[in-house]
Amino acid sequence: MKKHILSGARLIGLSGIICLSLIAMANGMAETHKTDLVTAAEKGDLVTVQQLIGEGGDIEQRDNRLRTPLMAAVHGNRTAVARYLIEQGANVNAADAIMDTPYLYAGARGLQDILEMTLSHGAGLKSTNRYGGTALIPASERGHVKTVKTLIDAGVNVNHVNNLGWTALIEAIILGDGSQKYADIVTLLIEGGADVNLPDGSGDSPLTLAKRHGYRNLVAVLEQAGAH
């Protein structure tokens, strides 16, 4: 009798182990599937991305950095993959662990083709990054002239102030190099309605900052626009 009881217990225990193993395998397969989709998107492997989505892969899956496949594709500047995912309904405003979204990142990095796709698919123009800045602010800082014009034309607030107390105009002045592309950006921002006398968090005006950095071309543009 004891042998039967022990044998039954062993069978139950073995069944439990098998069940746990199957669950673990299933979880592992799901995690691999998840990782493969994000990884494939970042590598620009359109065929694999299409295959995984076709097999039921979640288009809004997240990796350990909370990136969706679209966010990963944008990080890799994989335009074809980004286009496919956006056309399949991927959220262009899905924020990752550091509050970047496909739209915000494309704008900040001057990824023009992807940016335009996000704008035509519901990009949140008022959304902000971890510094409290719109896409226009880092685009201005980094000298992406075409991107700046695109964002202004789309309706992004040119006078938005980020957590550092800086507008797009101020960042173009203090974080740029005073070259022609920054003169072009300052001009675009002014034409787009930038307040040339809106100071930074320390009370310094754009004109004061341009003079401090010795950017005579920017000083001329600002003074012509009525800066003081």
Side-chain angles (χ1 to χ4, degrees):
M1 184 65 177
K2 287 183 179 179
K3 289 183 178 180
H4 289 305
I5 292 173
L6 289 172
S7 297
R10 289 193 185 99
L11 285 172
I12 292 172
L14 182 60
S15 297
I17 292 171
I18 292 172
C19 287
L20 289 173
S21 297
L22 290 173
I23 292 171
M25 288 174 63
N27 287 339
M29 290 173 65
E31 184 61 29
T32 299
H33 191 274
K34 172 180 175 179
T35 302
D36 284 347
L37 182 52
V38 176
T39 301
E42 188 165 28
K43 290 181 178 178
D45 187 348
L46 179 59
V47 172
T48 299
V49 169
Q50 291 173 324
Q51 178 183 346
L52 292 172
I53 293 294
E55 292 173 354
D58 183 359
I59 202 167
E60 299 299 334
Q61 285 176 346
R62 306 285 182 136
D63 66 4
N64 58 3
R65 294 157 60 186
L66 299 186
R67 300 182 307 164
T68 62
L70 176 57
M71 187 76 247
V74 177
H75 276 167
N77 193 18
R78 308 299 186 179
T79 304
V81 173
R83 179 179 291 108
Y84 170 75
L85 291 169
I86 290 173
E87 289 175 349
Q88 295 300 308
N91 184 0
V92 301
N93 298 306
D96 65 12
I98 59 172
M99 295 180 65
D100 271 335
T101 70
Y103 156 66
L104 287 172
Y105 190 87
R109 298 291 175 174
L111 307 180
Q112 190 65 27
D113 291 340
I114 296 176
L115 173 64
E116 291 177 5
M117 284 187 275
T118 65
L119 288 171
S120 65
H121 287 78
L125 300 183
K126 294 181 179 180
S127 58
T128 56
N129 57 32
R130 61 191 179 279
Y131 303 110
T134 62
L136 180 60
I137 294 179
S140 299
E141 169 208 335
R142 290 172 175 151
H144 302 309
V145 179
K146 186 174 182 179
T147 299
V148 167
K149 186 178 188 311
T150 298
L151 291 168
I152 292 172
D153 290 345
V156 177
N157 179 10
V158 295
N159 289 310
H160 178 85
V161 180
N162 66 16
N163 296 340
L164 301 172
W166 297 337
T167 61
L169 178 59
I170 288 174
E171 288 218 3
I173 295 169
I174 66 174
L175 298 179
D177 59 11
S179 61
Q180 184 57 48
K181 66 181 178 181
Y182 285 100
D184 292 341
I185 286 173
V186 167
T187 300
L188 285 170
L189 291 169
I190 292 172
E191 291 175 347
D195 184 346
V196 294
N197 293 310
L198 185 62
D200 65 10
S202 299
D204 291 326
S205 70
L207 183 58
T208 297
L209 295 167
K211 287 180 177 179
R212 184 178 298 161
H213 282 76
Y215 297 150
R216 294 181 180 179
N217 55 341
L218 302 189
V219 169
V221 173
L222 289 165
E223 288 182 335
Q224 188 174 359
H228 53 74

